[in-house]
């Protein structure tokens, strides 16, 4: 279940490892500009030892200039796992020829087979095409020029702003419907769909930030500003509407991440991940929120108190209609907090009704 998320994490780690601002990337850029080409393996273990032939044991400190000078020789360069030492140079690598490869050039075929066989990060620098290609396991990625990545990142942030605006308006509309007790599963599915779109664009921007390294600071600040607490709010919405209260919101988010682009367009896909039997007629079914998302908006409201309220009253309409005396009966709520809850819910209701018409 957690495999796609792990692959994304590994992917980001690889991009950070070779990002602008690192000594390794500086060395790779030196080799690229010199047009000598190169094959570099990060890490050395038993599988690597078995397939290395010839070359020189260097075992010196890694510096960009050392990498550049050694790349002038034929053969592969092997660097330590932390990229702090150059272990071998001018080596011949002989990965199992039976490993399938999609590459055509000898250097890139060797690089891909080595990465698949050892799971080490292998970097191929093309002498003819002037590009850097990363391989790790079955993962392959061509590094882009920093200016190209920046342009793509800025475009993605602009798209994210638009989708975030749509999400905020849909949350406002949902909040108003929750107070009016008019929510159907269609509205819930629509909001979850918007959450997933925003989260996917966020993932795309995060990938660009990793690849940009020190050049991505401003994009990173914009991203934090735009999507602060976005996953927390998505989890609150899931707590409000998932069919089984014991369902983990984090697991639901992972299931949403697995939806294909085609499934993303179908509202019933989001009902399915919430635990409903998904068919078109379900969309018109009325549903009441448990109240987690709205209650969390009340200032200084601990999650434990929110849980106690939901446990006691079961849904938001009943919490909203409860008197101060009835709220006071809930574990952990005294008269002062009961009044704060009553006033807080009223203010939130007024605000969403106003925002809905802006």
């Amino acid at each position: 279940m957690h495999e796609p998320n792990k692959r994304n994490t590994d992917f980001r780690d690889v991009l950070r490892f070779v990002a602008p601002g690192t000594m390794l990337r500086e060395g790779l850029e030196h080799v690229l500009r010199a047009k000598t080409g190169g094959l570099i393996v990060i890490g050395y273990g038993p599988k690597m030892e078995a397939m290395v032939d010839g070359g020189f044991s260097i075992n010196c400190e890694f510096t960009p200039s050392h990498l550049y000078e050694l790349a002038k020789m034929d053969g592969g360069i092997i660097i330590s796992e932390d990229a702090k030492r150059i272990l071998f140079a001018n080596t011949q690598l002989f990965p199992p020829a039976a490993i399938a490869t999609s590459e055509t050039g000898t250097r890139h075929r060797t690089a891909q087979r080595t990465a698949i066989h050892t799971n080490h990060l292998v970097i191929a620098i093309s002498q003819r095409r002037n590009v850097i290609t990363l391989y790790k396991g079955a993962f392959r990625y061509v590094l882009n020029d920093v200016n190209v990545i920046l342009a793509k990142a800025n475009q993605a942030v602009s798209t994210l702003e638009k989708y975030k605006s749509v999400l905020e308006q849909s949350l406002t509309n949902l909040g108003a419907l929750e107070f009016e007790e008019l929510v159907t599963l269609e509205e819930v599915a629509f909001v979850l769909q918007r959450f997933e779109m925003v989260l996917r664009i966020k993932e795309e921007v995060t990938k660009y930030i990793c690849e940009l390294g020190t050049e991505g600071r401003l994009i990173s600040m914009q991203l934090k500003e735009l999507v602060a607490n976005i996953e927390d709010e998505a989890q609150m919405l899931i707590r409000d509407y998932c069919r089984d209260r014991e369902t983990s919101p984090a697991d639901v988010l992972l299931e949403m991440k697995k939806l294909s682009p085609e499934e993303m367009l179908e509202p019933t896909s989001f009902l399915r991940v919430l635990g409903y039997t998904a068919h078109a007629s379900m969309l018109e079914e009325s549903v009441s929120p448990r109240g987690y998302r709205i209650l969390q908006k009340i200032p200084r409201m601990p999650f434990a108190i929110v849980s106690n309220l939901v446990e006691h009253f079961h849904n938001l309409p009943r919490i909203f209609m409860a008197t101060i005396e009835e709220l006071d009966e809930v574990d952990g709520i005294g008269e002062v907090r009961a009044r704060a809850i009553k006033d807080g819910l009223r203010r939130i209701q007024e605000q969403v009704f106003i925002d809905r018409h802006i």
Side-chain angles (χ1 to χ4, degrees):
M1 184 176 208
H2 299 278
E3 196 59 33
N5 197 41
K6 184 178 185 303
R7 281 201 298 270
N8 287 337
T9 303
D10 290 345
F11 174 84
R12 291 197 293 265
D13 288 344
V14 168
L15 291 179
R16 285 193 194 97
F17 197 72
V18 297
T22 62
M23 288 180 64
L24 178 57
R25 180 59 173 266
E26 188 182 341
L28 296 178
E29 295 287 354
H30 286 346
V31 177
L32 190 69
R33 284 193 293 271
K35 299 186 183 298
T36 59
L39 178 60
I40 299 149
V41 182
I42 311 296
Y44 187 71
K47 285 187 176 180
M48 276 299 301
E49 189 177 0
M51 50 184 272
V52 171
D53 186 35
F56 308 102
S57 175
I58 304 290
N59 198 20
C60 70
E61 179 189 1
F62 177 91
T63 66
S65 56
H66 284 161
L67 183 69
Y68 163 69
E69 293 297 335
L70 291 170
K72 292 177 182 177
M73 295 188 289
D74 291 331
I77 298 170
I78 302 174
I79 298 174
S80 63
E81 196 79 39
D82 57 6
K84 290 184 176 178
R85 299 194 71 75
I86 298 174
L87 305 179
F88 301 95
N90 199 32
T91 62
Q92 297 301 309
L93 304 179
F94 295 97
I99 295 173
T101 172
S102 57
E103 299 291 1
T104 51
T106 303
R107 178 182 287 132
H108 288 73
R109 289 168 71 87
T110 301
Q112 190 171 45
R113 283 174 171 153
T114 300
I116 292 170
H117 184 60
T118 65
N119 203 39
H120 288 308
L121 171 60
V122 184
I123 304 166
I125 303 172
S126 174
Q127 185 174 357
R128 182 169 51 85
R129 291 184 294 135
N130 210 35
V131 295
I132 301 171
T133 309
L134 311 178
Y135 302 91
K136 191 174 192 301
F139 159 76
R140 176 188 184 276
Y141 190 78
V142 177
L143 286 179
N144 291 299
D145 179 81
V146 168
N147 291 327
V148 172
I149 307 163
L150 269 173
K152 288 182 177 180
N154 282 314
Q155 185 178 12
V157 168
S158 177
T159 304
L160 181 60
E161 286 174 341
K162 292 173 186 172
Y163 274 88
K164 177 71 185 310
S165 177
V166 173
L167 171 62
E168 286 174 344
Q169 188 57 52
S170 65
L171 282 168
T172 297
N173 293 338
L174 179 66
L177 291 171
E178 287 175 339
F179 282 111
E180 293 170 335
E181 299 185 49
L182 294 174
V183 181
T184 66
L185 285 173
E186 184 172 20
E187 277 90 26
V188 176
F190 178 79
V191 176
L192 273 181
Q193 185 184 51
R194 293 296 175 271
F195 263 120
E196 181 57 22
M197 287 176 176
V198 168
L199 288 170
R200 290 192 184 199
I201 301 169
K202 175 196 169 190
E203 189 73 28
E204 187 77 10
V205 177
T206 302
K207 184 196 77 173
Y208 290 136
I209 290 169
C210 293
E211 192 171 348
L212 284 166
T214 54
E215 302 293 324
R217 288 190 297 267
L218 290 177
I219 301 287
S220 181
M221 288 166 63
Q222 285 179 276
L223 183 66
K224 285 178 183 175
E225 182 71 26
L226 271 173
V227 294
N229 304 319
I230 191 83
E231 290 196 27
D232 292 340
E233 185 147 19
Q235 291 198 19
M236 289 298 131
L237 184 76
I238 291 165
R239 286 183 190 278
D240 271 349
Y241 292 104
C242 61
R243 189 157 196 163
D244 182 357
R245 284 186 57 182
E246 301 303 314
T247 301
S248 163
D251 287 346
V252 172
L253 285 177
L254 280 173
E255 288 302 316
M256 283 165 52
K257 189 179 287 191
K258 291 179 185 177
L259 295 175
S260 67
E262 293 75 22
E263 289 173 320
M264 278 276 294
L265 300 175
E266 294 295 329
T268 50
S269 301
F270 293 92
L271 298 187
R272 190 176 68 250
V273 298
L274 286 175
Y276 295 93
T277 304
H279 48 82
S281 60
M282 283 289 293
L283 293 171
E284 299 304 317
E285 187 173 309
S286 295
V287 62
S288 284
R290 294 186 177 98
Y292 288 101
R293 189 178 70 87
I294 293 293
L295 288 167
Q296 281 287 99
K297 294 180 181 297
I298 299 173
R300 297 177 296 281
M301 188 69 145
F303 182 72
I305 298 298
V306 172
S307 296
N308 289 347
L309 279 166
V310 173
E311 188 72 34
H312 187 88
F313 290 104
H314 304 297
N315 60 49
L316 180 64
R318 290 182 61 185
I319 297 169
F320 185 67
M321 296 301 295
T323 64
I324 288 173
E325 291 74 21
E326 288 170 332
L327 290 169
D328 193 6
E329 292 173 8
V330 177
D331 188 32
I333 298 177
E335 186 181 345
V336 174
R337 180 165 271 158
R339 288 186 185 279
I341 292 167
K342 197 74 178 165
D343 292 343
L345 287 174
R346 192 176 297 112
R347 280 196 297 272
I348 293 167
Q349 182 195 40
E350 289 170 358
Q351 193 61 53
V352 295
F353 285 164
I354 292 167
D355 291 347
R356 179 165 61 172
H357 299 294
I358 293 177

